[in-house]
Amino acid sequence: MDFRSDNVWGASPEILDALAAANSGSAGAYGDDDWTTALEARFAEVFEREVGVFVVGTGSAANGLALSVMAPPWGVVYCHKDAHVEVDECGGPEFFTGGAKLATQDGKDGKLQADALAPAIVGKGFVHAPQPAGISITQASEAGTVYRPAEVRALSELARANGLKLHMDGARFANALVSLETSPAEITWKAGVDLLSFGGTKNGCMAGEALLVFDPDLAETLGFRRKRVGHLFSKMRFFSVQLLAYLEGDLWLKNARRANAAAMALAGELEALGATLAHPTEANEVFAQLPDDLVKRLEAAGFLFYPWPAAGAGGHRFVASFLSDAEAVRAAFRRL
Amino acid sequence: MDFRSDNVWGASPEILDALAAANSGSAGAYGDDDWTTALEARFAEVFEREVGVFVVGTGSAANGLALSVMAPPWGVVYCHKDAHVEVDECGGPEFFTGGAKLATQDGKDGKLQADALAPAIVGKGFVHAPQPAGISITQASEAGTVYRPAEVRALSELARANGLKLHMDGARFANALVSLETSPAEITWKAGVDLLSFGGTKNGCMAGEALLVFDPDLAETLGFRRKRVGHLFSKMRFFSVQLLAYLEGDLWLKNARRANAAAMALAGELEALGATLAHPTEANEVFAQLPDDLVKRLEAAGFLFYPWPAAGAGGHRFVASFLSDAEAVRAAFRRL
Amino acid sequence: MDFRSDNVWGASPEILDALAAANSGSAGAYGDDDWTTALEARFAEVFEREVGVFVVGTGSAANGLALSVMAPPWGVVYCHKDAHVEVDECGGPEFFTGGAKLATQDGKDGKLQADALAPAIVGKGFVHAPQPAGISITQASEAGTVYRPAEVRALSELARANGLKLHMDGARFANALVSLETSPAEITWKAGVDLLSFGGTKNGCMAGEALLVFDPDLAETLGFRRKRVGHLFSKMRFFSVQLLAYLEGDLWLKNARRANAAAMALAGELEALGATLAHPTEANEVFAQLPDDLVKRLEAAGFLFYPWPAAGAGGHRFVASFLSDAEAVRAAFRRL
Amino acid sequence: MDFRSDNVWGASPEILDALAAANSGSAGAYGDDDWTTALEARFAEVFEREVGVFVVGTGSAANGLALSVMAPPWGVVYCHKDAHVEVDECGGPEFFTGGAKLATQDGKDGKLQADALAPAIVGKGFVHAPQPAGISITQASEAGTVYRPAEVRALSELARANGLKLHMDGARFANALVSLETSPAEITWKAGVDLLSFGGTKNGCMAGEALLVFDPDLAETLGFRRKRVGHLFSKMRFFSVQLLAYLEGDLWLKNARRANAAAMALAGELEALGATLAHPTEANEVFAQLPDDLVKRLEAAGFLFYPWPAAGAGGHRFVASFLSDAEAVRAAFRRL
C-alpha cells in the first residue's frame, strides 16, 4: 500500500526480460541499432503516421528538449501553474531553452482552458515583450484529470491562431489514454499536438522516455540538442528496448488500466470514509481532503502517501501504479 | 572481432543480475533508496575517503556537470585538443557551464603536459580576458595512453598555483587503473584531482556513470544542476545498482584487465604484420597505421574497426572491450 | 504636450555641457579615468556609504546584471506581474541569469506586498523546485506609485528571513525620492536593498545608468559579467560624466521635482474633466480612465499619450518629464 | 604622444556638435526617430545596397549579436587565435550565442588564411561534433594588417562551400578601408561578408557602433536579441546621430587617414632608431620589437605605449588615433 508515487515501484518483468534479450552481440552505438530502428517503426504504427523519435533518459529531458525547439530563448511557453515543467524541474526548461519564460495560468482541475488562456497571449512582434511561442499541457494532468480531445483541439487552434506550437507532457500518457478510451493519434497530432513527451518510466519501465515529434520542422536540431545535454546514450539499445517491450502486446495499456482501476478504487474507498475529492479521479492519481482521523487510520495500517497542500485543507495525494491492484486496495480498506 | 568501440557491446551478466535483484518492492524515488546509499558508502571505501557521488546517465553529463562547477560562464578550461569534451560532446560543456571556453593544447600521445600548459594560463583577473578556471584531462586518454600519478600531480600543482580546479574524465578509468597498477585514491585525489567522471558504461554497465567530487565545496550546487539537466533519474536504484555490481568483487577491474590484455594482443599482432603504433598501447585502445593490404585482410576476415585520420597516414583505431579475449584475438590473427 | 514617455525627450543642457567638458585630452579606457573615479566617490557621498558602482548603457543591462548576481540559473526572483523586468525586457533577465525564473505576483497599485508574497516563497532546498533567490521591486513602480521605506523594509525582512536578496529597479528613482522626501540611503540600503539600478536616462541623461551594489559579496563577479554582455564602454568617461553632472548641484532632484509636479498637474486637470485615476499619482506618471470625448479633445489639442489597457476601461498613460512644466500643463488644459 | 590605444582619446568635435543638434524636441524612443531612419538610409548609400542596421553601444555587443545569428549554441565559429572575440571579450561571444565554440587558428600577421583553415572545418552533420557555423575575421586585424578583397573572398568561398556565414569585426573598419583604397561594398558584401560590426568609437565617436547585416535572413531575430542584451537604447537618437555625423562629409575616412598616416610615421621613425616591425603597418597600429634603450628614451620623452609580448622579444604596441598627427610624431622623434 505504497502510494507515494508511481516512481517508487520498479519495472514490469517484461521490461527486464527485454533487457536480457537485448544483451547479446555487438550493435551500433548511439542508436544505430536494430532495437532503436524497430522502436521508430513501432511508434509510427501506434501513432498511425511518421513520427520523429528521440529516446532520452528522463521525462524532464524530453520536456526540456521539446520546449527548446518550440521557443527561442526570448520566447514564452504558456502552462498551468502546477505544471511539472514549472514547479518540478528545477528550472530545466529555462536551461534547455536558453532562457525562455514559462507564463503560468490557473485552470480548474489542473487543466489549461483555451478561452481563459487566449487573453494572456500578448506582445507578439513587440520588441520589448518576451515572444509568445508555445503552449505546454500535461496529459494526464498534475491534478489527475485528463484533457478530452476537444479540449486539446481548442488549445491547438488557439496555438495555431497565434503562431504557437503545442506540447504535451505525457509522463502519464498511457493512464490518460486508457481513461479516454481513444487512440494515441486522436489525442495527439489529430488534435493538433506538435510534440509529445512519451513517458514509460512511471508506468513500468526502468527509464523509458522518448520525445515524439509530429512536426518534422521541429525535429531538425533535436539530434544535436539531445547530444549536447548528455542524453544520447551510447548503449541506446537498452533504452529503446524498454519502450519496445512497453508497447509490445499492449503492456503499456494493461499497466495503465491496472493503475487507473486501483486509483478509482482508492477514490471510492476514501470517499466512503469521509474524504472529499479535490479533483475528479480520471487517471492513476487521487487528490483528496482527508479528515485527520482517517489519515491516522491509514498510516497505522501502513499506507504510504504524501500530504498535498495544493489539494486544500487536509489535502493528500495517492498515486496508484502498474503494480497496484484494485481488489487489494478494497481489501486493505476492509481491514482498516 | 568487433573493435569499433567498447560501446558496441552490451553489459556484463552481473549487471543484469543486479538489475533483476533490485526490481523488488517499493523504494524512495530520485536516489532516496538503499542501493544509492550503499553505492555512496562503496565509493568511499574504494577511494579511501568521503566522496560526493552524483549518479547520472552518461559520461557527457558527468563531464558537463563537472565543468559547470569548475568554471563560471566566463571561465576557461584547459584540455587536450583531442579531448572528448572538446570534440565529441556537441558543445555540451559550453551548455552545462553557460558558455565557458575550452582552450585546447596539443600534447604527445593525447596527454596534457604541465610545463607546456603553464604559459597558456593567462589573463587571471584581467576583466577583458576569459578567466582561467580549470584543467580537464582524460584517463585513459583519447590516444589510449595513461597519465602516471606524477603527471597528474604536476598538473594539479599547476592548477593550484593558478587557482584552478582539476577534472579527470574517467570514461575508461578502470582501464587506466589496472594499467597503472595503482589505487583509485593514488591516481585521483591524492594526486590532486578535484572531480572525477567515473565511467562504467564502456566497461560493462548498461548506463553506469557517476560524477565523484573530492572537493566538498564543488558539490554544493550539483544536486540542483543535475536535476536541471534531466539527469536525476526517478528510479535511480536501477542506475546505482549497476555501479554497485560493477564495483562488487572487482568486476570493474576484471573487465578492464580483459580489455587491456586483448588490446595488447591486438597491438602485438598488428605490429607483427607491419603496422606502426601511433601511440603506445596502455589501456584498451590501439591506434595504428596499417598498410593497405593489412586493412583489406582484416576486413575480409570480418574484423570491424574505424579509420582514424588523427593517427596519421593509414591510421586506424581498434577498441577492445570487457568481452574481448586476448587468446581469441591471437587465434583470429593466426587464421588471417 | 508629448506625454508618450519620459524617453521621448532629449537631455538636460548640463549633461551636454559635461560631455563637452570631458572631451579633452587622453584618459584611461574602460573606466580607468578621473570621471569614473569621481563618480564612485560622489555616489558614496550621496548614499552615505561605500557602494559598488557599475556604469552601464541601459536600465535593462543594470537590471539583468543585478538579477544575475542575486539568482543562480535555477533561481527564482519574485516581482510584480507588471514589472519592467517581466514584461518589457524581452527576456533579458532570463538571459543575464542563464535561465532564472521570474515568479510574478499581483499587488495593488503596482507594488509587491510582503505579506501577500510570503506564502509564494516555497521549495527552498527541495531539489525539484526552482530555488527562491531574490525579490525585485520597481521604484517608482510601473503604476506610478512609490514604495514607502516601511514597505521596502517589510520586503527586505521577508527576503532576509528566506535567504533572498532584494533588488530595486530605480529607472525612476529620482522621481520616487523627491516624492517621498527621504534620503537615498533611507529608501535603499537602510531599508535593506542590496542592489539598485540607478537610472538617469529617463530623467535627463542621454544614457546614464549604473548598477549600485550595497552588498560587497554581490559585486565580486560583476566586472566580468558587465564586460561579457558588452556594457564595459571603452570611452567610459562619457557615460560616467553624465551621471556626475546629473548628481551635481542636485540636477537629478530638480529634474524629478519638475516632472512630478507636471504629472500632479496633469492628474488634477484630467480628474477635473471627468477622468478617473487608476492609481494615485505619486511620481511622474499618470494612469487614468478617460471618457472617449476627453481622449478626442486631448488628441485634437495635440496631446500625445498612450492607451493603457492595464489601467482599465478607457485606460491611458501620461508620462511627464524633466522638461515638462506644471504651469504649461494647466495652460494647455485651459486652452482645450 | 599617448599611443596606449585609440580608446584613450575623446570624440571628434563634429560628434559633439551633432549630439547638441539632436537634443531638441521630442522623438520616438528606441529607434523610432528621424536620426535612426536617416542613418539607415545613409548606410544603404555608403554600402550601395539595402542593409540591416542595428545600432548598439559597444563593438563587443555588435560582435556578440553577429555571432549569435551565425551559430547555434552547438556551433563553431572559426577565428584567429588573437581575435578580439576570442581574447578580449571575457567570453561574450559564448554568452551571446548560448555556448557556441570559437575554434582558433594561427595565421601570419593576424590574418586567417583560407587554405590553412579549410582542413579544420570538420564534423558537419556528425551529431557528436560541435557544428561548423561561421568564420569571423577582424578588419583591420589585431596585428595592424588588413585583409585584401581577394583574401576575404577566399574565406567567403570557403564559408559558402561549407554552409558557413562570414562575419567581419570592423572595430577599425575605416582604418582598413582607407588603407586599401577600396569601397565599403568591395571589401564587405561584394567579397562575401554576411555581417559587419561597424565600429566608430575608436575612430572619433563617443560610442558609435552598429551591426550591419547583408544577409536579410540573419536579421530576423536581431531586434529581439538586441533588446534582450540591453542594447536597445531608449534615447537611440543620441547613438544614431553619432554615426550619422561620423559618415557625414567623410569624417570617418578623414579621421582614419590621419590615424594611419601617424602610424606610418611612427613605424618609420621607430625603424630608423633600430626597432624591428613585428608586422607590416597597414592601418593605425604599430607592433614593433624595440631595443631596451629606445624604450627608455621614448618613456623619458613622455611617450605612452604598451609592452606587447605577442609581438616577440622587446615587443610593444603603439596605436595612433584620429587626433594623432604624422608631422607631430616626426617632430617628437626629432626631439628625442
Side-chain angles (χ1 to χ4, degrees):
Chain A
M1 295 296 120
D2 186 342
F3 298 108
R4 289 177 296 168
S5 172
D6 29 15
N7 281 326
V8 302
W9 296 100
S12 287
E14 292 89 340
I15 301 295
L16 270 171
D17 292 347
L19 285 172
N23 192 26
S24 80
S26 69
Y30 301 109
D32 181 21
D33 63 76
D34 293 344
W35 295 272
T36 302
T37 304
L39 178 64
E40 287 164 358
R42 189 75 187 90
F43 268 127
E45 282 171 29
V46 167
F47 282 87
E48 305 171 37
R49 56 162 285 171
E50 285 300 298
V51 54
V53 177
F54 295 86
V55 174
V56 293
T58 61
S60 291
N63 288 342
L65 288 172
L67 270 58
S68 78
V69 294
M70 280 209 308
W74 52 89
V76 179
V77 175
Y78 301 91
C79 66
H80 193 278
K81 73 177 177 54
D82 297 331
H84 197 270
V85 289
E86 167 71 7
V87 300
D88 277 322
E89 300 181 0
C90 198
E94 289 84 354
F95 182 49
F96 279 74
T97 59
K101 189 186 281 291
L102 299 187
T104 60
Q105 286 272 317
D106 204 348
K108 194 169 147 51
D109 293 328
K111 295 193 283 185
L112 280 185
Q113 285 156 320
D115 52 358
L117 175 57
I121 304 175
V122 295
K124 192 91 177 184
F126 184 57
V127 78
H128 302 273
Q131 292 297 294
I135 300 173
S136 178
I137 58 177
T138 310
Q139 178 77 313
S141 83
E142 284 81 6
T145 58
V146 301
Y147 284 88
R148 272 63 180 171
E151 292 173 311
V152 176
R153 216 149 34 226
L155 285 163
S156 73
E157 279 160 16
L158 178 64
R160 291 299 169 276
N162 286 277
L164 315 183
K165 299 291 181 183
L166 180 60
H167 166 246
M168 180 178 278
D169 174 357
R172 294 187 177 96
F173 183 70
N175 300 285
L177 195 66
V178 300
S179 171
L180 287 163
E181 297 189 354
T182 184
S183 74
E186 289 294 336
I187 195 60
T188 59
W189 64 273
K190 286 190 179 174
V193 170
D194 297 300
L195 300 137
L196 171 67
S197 297
F198 182 93
T201 308
K202 291 181 194 293
N203 191 37
C205 292
M206 285 182 175
E209 305 284 328
L211 176 58
L212 304 187
V213 188
F214 302 112
D215 176 342
D217 289 349
L218 294 178
E220 255 178 54
T221 62
L222 275 169
F224 300 114
R225 291 178 185 272
R226 174 175 60 175
K227 175 67 192 178
R228 190 170 67 117
V229 300
H231 275 277
L232 181 64
F233 291 89
S234 57
K235 298 185 177 173
M236 197 192 287
R237 60 165 126 170
F238 291 119
F239 292 83
S240 298
V241 78
Q242 289 184 56
L243 287 168
L244 265 180
Y246 181 65
L247 296 170
E248 179 69 28
D250 288 341
L251 173 62
W252 63 313
L253 304 181
K254 290 178 202 161
N255 277 359
R257 279 193 200 103
R258 196 171 162 102
N260 287 10
M264 211 64 80
L266 255 169
E269 297 290 339
L270 288 168
E271 278 192 299
L273 294 177
T276 306
L277 295 187
H279 308 290
T281 300
E282 299 182 347
N284 65 320
E285 297 188 281
V286 181
F287 296 86
Q289 295 162 4
L290 272 59
D292 280 359
D293 67 321
L294 178 53
V295 173
K296 280 180 196 131
R297 283 172 65 194
L298 289 168
E299 288 176 348
F303 279 72
L304 297 176
F305 53 100
Y306 284 130
W308 209 259
H316 289 81
R317 185 188 77 164
F318 300 76
V319 190
S321 84
F322 66 100
L323 287 177
S324 300
D325 178 66
E327 192 40 52
V329 166
R330 287 189 204 100
F333 271 86
R334 282 195 297 271
R335 285 191 305 271
L336 268 194
Chain B
M1 294 296 120
D2 186 343
F3 299 108
R4 289 176 297 168
S5 172
D6 29 16
N7 282 325
V8 302
W9 296 99
S12 287
E14 292 88 340
I15 301 295
L16 270 170
D17 293 347
L19 285 173
N23 191 27
S24 79
S26 69
Y30 302 109
D32 181 21
D33 65 75
D34 293 345
W35 295 272
T36 302
T37 304
L39 178 64
E40 288 164 357
R42 189 75 186 91
F43 267 127
E45 282 171 28
V46 168
F47 282 88
E48 306 172 38
R49 55 162 285 170
E50 285 299 297
V51 54
V53 177
F54 295 86
V55 174
V56 293
T58 62
S60 290
N63 288 343
L65 287 173
L67 270 59
S68 78
V69 293
M70 281 209 306
W74 52 90
V76 180
V77 175
Y78 302 90
C79 66
H80 192 278
K81 74 176 177 57
D82 298 331
H84 197 271
V85 289
E86 168 71 8
V87 301
D88 277 323
E89 300 182 359
C90 197
E94 289 83 356
F95 178 57
F96 280 75
T97 59
K101 189 185 281 290
L102 298 186
T104 60
Q105 287 272 317
D106 203 349
K108 193 169 147 52
D109 293 328
K111 294 193 283 183
L112 281 186
Q113 285 157 319
D115 52 356
L117 174 57
I121 303 175
V122 295
K124 191 91 177 185
F126 184 56
V127 77
H128 303 273
Q131 293 297 296
I135 300 173
S136 178
I137 58 177
T138 311
Q139 179 78 310
S141 83
E142 284 82 5
T145 57
V146 300
Y147 284 90
R148 272 62 180 172
E151 292 173 311
V152 177
R153 216 148 35 227
L155 286 163
S156 72
E157 279 161 14
L158 177 64
R160 292 297 170 278
N162 286 277
L164 315 183
K165 300 292 180 183
L166 180 59
H167 166 246
M168 179 177 279
D169 174 358
R172 295 187 177 94
F173 183 70
N175 301 285
L177 195 66
V178 300
S179 172
L180 288 162
E181 298 188 355
T182 184
S183 74
E186 288 296 336
I187 196 59
T188 58
W189 63 273
K190 286 189 177 173
V193 171
D194 297 299
L195 299 137
L196 171 66
S197 297
F198 183 93
T201 308
K202 290 181 195 294
N203 191 39
C205 292
M206 286 182 174
E209 304 285 329
L211 175 59
L212 304 187
V213 188
F214 302 113
D215 176 341
D217 289 349
L218 295 177
E220 254 177 55
T221 61
L222 275 169
F224 300 113
R225 290 178 186 273
R226 174 175 59 175
K227 174 68 192 178
R228 191 168 68 116
V229 300
H231 275 277
L232 181 65
F233 291 89
S234 57
K235 299 184 178 174
M236 198 192 286
R237 59 164 128 170
F238 291 119
F239 292 83
S240 298
V241 78
Q242 289 185 56
L243 287 169
L244 265 180
Y246 182 65
L247 297 170
E248 180 68 28
D250 288 341
L251 172 63
W252 64 313
L253 304 180
K254 289 178 202 162
N255 278 0
R257 278 193 200 102
R258 197 170 162 101
N260 287 9
M264 210 65 79
L266 255 169
E269 296 291 338
L270 288 168
E271 278 192 301
L273 294 177
T276 307
L277 296 186
H279 309 289
T281 301
E282 299 182 346
N284 65 319
E285 295 189 283
V286 180
F287 297 86
Q289 295 162 3
L290 271 59
D292 280 358
D293 66 322
L294 179 53
V295 173
K296 279 179 198 132
R297 284 172 65 196
L298 289 168
E299 287 175 347
F303 280 70
L304 296 176
F305 52 99
Y306 285 129
W308 210 257
H316 288 82
R317 185 187 78 164
F318 300 76
V319 190
S321 84
F322 66 101
L323 288 177
S324 300
D325 178 68
E327 192 40 53
V329 166
R330 287 190 203 97
F333 270 87
R334 280 195 299 270
R335 287 192 303 271
L336 267 195
Chain C
M1 295 297 118
D2 187 342
F3 299 109
R4 288 177 296 170
S5 171
D6 29 15
N7 281 326
V8 301
W9 296 99
S12 287
E14 293 89 338
I15 301 295
L16 269 171
D17 294 346
L19 285 172
N23 191 26
S24 80
S26 70
Y30 301 108
D32 181 20
D33 64 75
D34 293 344
W35 295 272
T36 303
T37 304
L39 179 64
E40 288 164 358
R42 189 76 187 89
F43 268 127
E45 282 171 30
V46 167
F47 282 88
E48 307 172 36
R49 56 162 285 171
E50 287 299 299
V51 53
V53 178
F54 295 86
V55 174
V56 293
T58 62
S60 292
N63 288 342
L65 288 173
L67 269 58
S68 78
V69 293
M70 282 207 308
W74 52 90
V76 179
V77 176
Y78 302 90
C79 66
H80 192 278
K81 75 178 176 52
D82 297 331
H84 197 271
V85 289
E86 168 71 8
V87 301
D88 277 324
E89 300 183 358
C90 197
E94 289 83 356
F95 182 50
F96 279 75
T97 58
K101 190 186 281 292
L102 298 186
T104 60
Q105 286 273 316
D106 204 348
K108 194 170 148 48
D109 293 328
K111 296 193 282 185
L112 280 185
Q113 286 158 318
D115 51 357
L117 175 56
I121 304 174
V122 295
K124 191 89 176 183
F126 183 57
V127 78
H128 303 273
Q131 292 296 295
I135 301 173
S136 178
I137 59 177
T138 310
Q139 177 77 312
S141 83
E142 283 81 5
T145 57
V146 300
Y147 284 90
R148 271 64 181 170
E151 291 173 313
V152 177
R153 216 148 35 228
L155 286 163
S156 73
E157 280 161 14
L158 177 64
R160 292 297 169 278
N162 287 278
L164 315 183
K165 299 292 180 182
L166 179 60
H167 166 246
M168 179 177 279
D169 174 357
R172 296 188 178 93
F173 183 69
N175 300 287
L177 196 65
V178 299
S179 171
L180 287 163
E181 299 189 354
T182 185
S183 73
E186 288 295 336
I187 195 60
T188 58
W189 63 274
K190 286 189 178 173
V193 170
D194 297 300
L195 300 136
L196 171 66
S197 298
F198 182 92
T201 307
K202 290 181 195 292
N203 191 37
C205 292
M206 285 182 174
E209 305 284 328
L211 175 59
L212 304 187
V213 188
F214 302 112
D215 176 340
D217 290 349
L218 295 178
E220 255 179 54
T221 60
L222 276 169
F224 300 114
R225 291 179 185 271
R226 175 175 58 174
K227 175 68 191 178
R228 190 169 67 114
V229 300
H231 276 277
L232 182 65
F233 290 89
S234 57
K235 299 184 177 174
M236 198 193 287
R237 58 164 127 169
F238 291 120
F239 291 84
S240 297
V241 78
Q242 289 186 56
L243 287 169
L244 265 181
Y246 181 66
L247 296 170
E248 179 68 27
D250 287 343
L251 173 63
W252 64 314
L253 304 181
K254 290 176 201 163
N255 278 359
R257 279 193 199 101
R258 199 170 159 100
N260 286 10
M264 209 64 79
L266 256 169
E269 297 290 339
L270 289 168
E271 277 193 301
L273 294 177
T276 305
L277 297 186
H279 308 291
T281 300
E282 297 181 346
N284 66 320
E285 295 189 283
V286 181
F287 296 86
Q289 295 162 6
L290 271 59
D292 279 359
D293 66 322
L294 178 53
V295 173
K296 280 178 197 134
R297 282 171 67 194
L298 290 168
E299 289 175 347
F303 279 69
L304 297 175
F305 54 99
Y306 285 129
W308 210 258
H316 288 81
R317 185 187 76 163
F318 300 77
V319 190
S321 84
F322 67 102
L323 287 177
S324 301
D325 177 67
E327 193 39 52
V329 166
R330 287 190 203 98
F333 272 85
R334 281 194 298 270
R335 287 191 304 272
L336 267 193
Chain D
M1 296 295 120
D2 186 343
F3 299 108
R4 289 177 296 169
S5 172
D6 29 17
N7 281 326
V8 302
W9 296 99
S12 287
E14 292 89 340
I15 301 295
L16 269 170
D17 293 347
L19 285 172
N23 192 26
S24 81
S26 69
Y30 301 108
D32 181 20
D33 64 75
D34 293 345
W35 296 271
T36 302
T37 304
L39 178 64
E40 287 164 358
R42 190 75 187 91
F43 268 127
E45 282 171 30
V46 168
F47 282 89
E48 306 172 38
R49 55 162 286 171
E50 286 299 298
V51 53
V53 177
F54 295 86
V55 174
V56 293
T58 62
S60 292
N63 288 342
L65 288 173
L67 270 58
S68 77
V69 293
M70 282 207 308
W74 52 91
V76 180
V77 175
Y78 302 89
C79 66
H80 193 278
K81 74 176 177 53
D82 298 331
H84 197 271
V85 289
E86 168 70 7
V87 300
D88 277 323
E89 300 183 359
C90 197
E94 289 83 355
F95 179 55
F96 279 75
T97 58
K101 188 185 281 291
L102 298 186
T104 61
Q105 286 272 316
D106 204 348
K108 192 170 148 51
D109 293 328
K111 295 193 283 185
L112 281 186
Q113 286 157 319
D115 52 356
L117 175 57
I121 303 175
V122 296
K124 191 89 177 185
F126 183 57
V127 77
H128 302 274
Q131 291 298 294
I135 300 173
S136 178
I137 58 177
T138 310
Q139 177 77 313
S141 84
E142 284 80 6
T145 57
V146 300
Y147 284 89
R148 271 64 179 171
E151 292 172 313
V152 176
R153 218 151 31 230
L155 286 163
S156 73
E157 279 161 14
L158 178 64
R160 292 299 170 276
N162 286 278
L164 315 183
K165 299 293 180 182
L166 179 59
H167 166 246
M168 179 177 279
D169 173 358
R172 295 187 178 95
F173 182 70
N175 300 286
L177 195 66
V178 299
S179 172
L180 288 163
E181 298 187 355
T182 185
S183 73
E186 288 296 335
I187 196 59
T188 58
W189 64 272
K190 287 189 178 173
V193 170
D194 297 299
L195 299 137
L196 171 66
S197 297
F198 182 93
T201 308
K202 290 181 195 294
N203 192 37
C205 293
M206 286 181 173
E209 304 284 329
L211 175 58
L212 304 187
V213 188
F214 302 113
D215 176 340
D217 290 349
L218 294 178
E220 255 179 53
T221 61
L222 275 170
F224 300 113
R225 291 179 184 271
R226 175 176 58 174
K227 173 69 192 177
R228 190 169 68 117
V229 299
H231 276 276
L232 182 65
F233 290 89
S234 57
K235 299 184 177 174
M236 197 193 285
R237 57 165 128 171
F238 292 119
F239 292 83
S240 297
V241 78
Q242 290 185 56
L243 287 168
L244 264 181
Y246 181 66
L247 296 170
E248 179 68 28
D250 288 343
L251 173 63
W252 64 313
L253 304 181
K254 290 178 202 163
N255 278 359
R257 279 194 200 102
R258 200 170 159 99
N260 286 10
M264 210 63 79
L266 256 170
E269 297 291 339
L270 288 169
E271 279 192 300
L273 294 178
T276 306
L277 296 186
H279 308 290
T281 300
E282 298 181 347
N284 66 320
E285 296 188 282
V286 181
F287 297 85
Q289 295 162 6
L290 272 60
D292 280 357
D293 67 323
L294 178 52
V295 173
K296 281 181 195 128
R297 283 172 66 195
L298 289 168
E299 288 176 346
F303 279 70
L304 296 176
F305 52 100
Y306 285 129
W308 210 259
H316 289 81
R317 185 188 76 163
F318 300 75
V319 190
S321 84
F322 66 101
L323 288 177
S324 301
D325 177 67
E327 192 41 51
V329 165
R330 288 190 203 97
F333 272 87
R334 281 195 297 270
R335 287 192 303 270
L336 267 194

